[in-house]
Amino acid sequence: MTFIDDIKRSNVNGSMLLKLIFINIGVFLLLHMLALGGLIFNASDSVTSWVGMPSDLSLLLKKPWTLVTYMFSHYSVMHILFNMLWLYWLGRIFMEFFSPKQLTGLYLLGGWGGAALYLLAYNLLPHLAMMTGILIGASASVIAIVVATAVYTPDYKIGLLFLGEVSLKWIAIITVAIDLLSLDAGNMGGSIAHIGGAIVGALFSLRIKQGKDITRPFNALIDGIVGIFNGRSFSMPRFERKSTDKSQKDMNQPPRANTPGDLVDEKELDKILGKIKAAGYDALTDEEKDKLFKASRRRSV
């Protein structure tokens, strides 16, 4: 029952990861319902043409919402199944090190990175210049999260069926290599979008290691827009480099009050993280998983 327990625990903590998965599943079901309705009423327009991002810039100007809807839309059962499993497995590891806002920001930025490279390829490369295509699916967003996690913690090991313990760096390398080798196949546009997402994911982790978060300005802008509707004044986000001096950081920021249930002993947390690095997340007991979630929730607030 570990999988079910993880889902229940994630819901209690307001997991953005599960919300992203449920949005994708909801859109998938809605598209199929609309397609069935179109078939019954003999409607000519394909539902994917309204949510997929067109490669033709003139069409994109008429359907700008597809820059967002495409990365939440799937039509093939295998497509959404593969993407959501990847998002759940690697997103869960991502959330051990980063916040829900960073997950959401990277999902969107990865999707836009894939869209940007896709549009550049279809409008600049001679081989694709005379073709038109429609980009659909969360693959670029998911690969951004996969690569970001692998770049940030390359030696983190996960168990794979028939292969045993494998480091994340090899999973990311093989995933990107497959896309590079698939550039001459039938889904060239999709492979290009995947590479765009991978580039964004690598950039995210490299900048994080330098003390900067590329998702922070975007998330601050979203918070500001939401604040307008909640009656708060709007101010443009200002991004500053994170201080690497712990003592200076403690001086500038007032201590945050924690409830007794949220407190986790630092030595015990280090022991849990060491166990994850050595044997993977699934090796934790339910009690250790609860403590890890409490610690991550405290960090992300």
Side-chain angles (χ1 to χ4, degrees):
M1 297 295 289
T2 303
F3 179 76
I4 301 299
D5 291 340
D6 286 345
I7 290 180
K8 290 179 179 178
R9 190 181 295 108
S10 297
N11 271 321
V12 170
N13 289 284
S15 171
M16 182 55 66
L17 173 61
L18 286 181
K19 290 177 183 176
L20 289 173
I21 293 174
F22 290 151
I23 290 172
N24 276 275
I25 294 174
V27 172
F28 173 77
L29 295 175
L30 178 61
L31 289 179
H32 277 269
M33 291 173 61
L34 292 174
L36 180 60
L39 182 64
I40 293 174
F41 294 102
N42 197 27
S44 59
D45 287 348
S46 170
V47 292
T48 56
S49 67
W50 287 98
V51 294
M53 190 193 74
S55 61
D56 189 323
L57 294 178
S58 61
L59 289 177
L60 180 59
L61 289 175
K62 297 177 182 178
K63 300 177 181 179
W65 63 84
T66 59
L67 283 168
V68 175
T69 58
Y70 101 84
M71 68 181 81
F72 293 96
S73 306
H74 302 79
Y75 200 76
S76 164
V77 174
M78 293 305 298
H79 193 191
I80 188 172
L81 178 62
F82 184 82
N83 275 342
M84 293 306 101
L85 287 175
W86 267 98
L87 180 58
Y88 175 76
W89 289 330
L90 274 298
R92 191 174 63 173
I93 299 174
F94 181 92
M95 291 290 288
E96 293 175 16
F97 303 97
F98 303 105
S99 71
K101 285 186 177 181
Q102 287 171 312
L103 177 72
T104 306
L106 182 57
Y107 184 98
L108 293 171
L109 291 178
W112 287 327
L117 197 61
Y118 177 86
L119 290 172
L120 286 174
Y122 265 90
N123 289 276
L124 295 179
L125 294 180
H127 178 68
L128 297 173
M130 302 303 295
M131 301 181 184
T132 57
I134 295 180
L135 183 63
I136 188 170
S139 299
S141 300
V142 173
I143 288 179
I145 293 169
V146 171
V147 172
T149 309
V151 172
Y152 186 78
T153 175
D155 295 321
Y156 188 111
K157 291 181 172 57
I158 62 174
L160 295 180
L161 187 64
F162 304 125
L163 296 178
E165 299 290 325
V166 179
S167 298
L168 284 182
K169 61 185 176 185
W170 293 114
I171 293 176
I173 289 172
I174 292 172
T175 300
V176 175
I178 290 174
D179 282 314
L180 289 173
L181 294 174
S182 301
L183 287 176
D184 60 347
N187 189 26
M188 183 177 184
S191 296
I192 290 173
H194 298 173
I195 295 170
I199 292 172
V200 173
L203 178 63
F204 169 82
S205 287
L206 292 175
R207 296 296 283 167
I208 283 288
K209 291 182 177 182
Q210 295 173 353
K212 292 188 177 182
D213 180 2
I214 64 172
T215 68
R216 183 178 173 184
F218 170 75
N219 284 323
L221 179 61
I222 295 299
D223 287 343
I225 294 173
V226 172
I228 293 177
F229 294 97
N230 291 335
R232 299 195 300 267
S233 60
F234 174 78
S235 59
M236 287 301 295
R238 184 178 62 183
F239 179 66
E240 297 177 353
R241 182 183 178 91
K242 292 182 180 179
S243 173
T244 56
D245 188 343
K246 187 177 186 301
S247 61
Q248 183 67 27
K249 180 179 179 180
D250 292 340
M251 291 174 59
N252 292 338
Q253 295 184 357
R256 174 181 173 271
N258 295 289
T259 62
D262 283 339
L263 297 176
V264 179
D265 184 77
E266 292 296 330
K267 291 183 178 179
E268 190 169 7
L269 180 59
D270 289 340
K271 182 180 178 181
I272 293 173
L273 294 176
K275 187 175 181 180
I276 292 174
K277 186 174 181 180
Y281 178 82
D282 291 333
L284 298 181
T285 64
D286 289 340
E287 182 181 358
E288 290 171 332
K289 290 179 181 178
D290 285 332
K291 291 180 180 180
L292 183 62
F293 270 103
K294 288 177 182 179
S296 64
R297 179 176 57 184
R298 182 182 61 183
R299 184 178 67 237
S300 63
V301 173

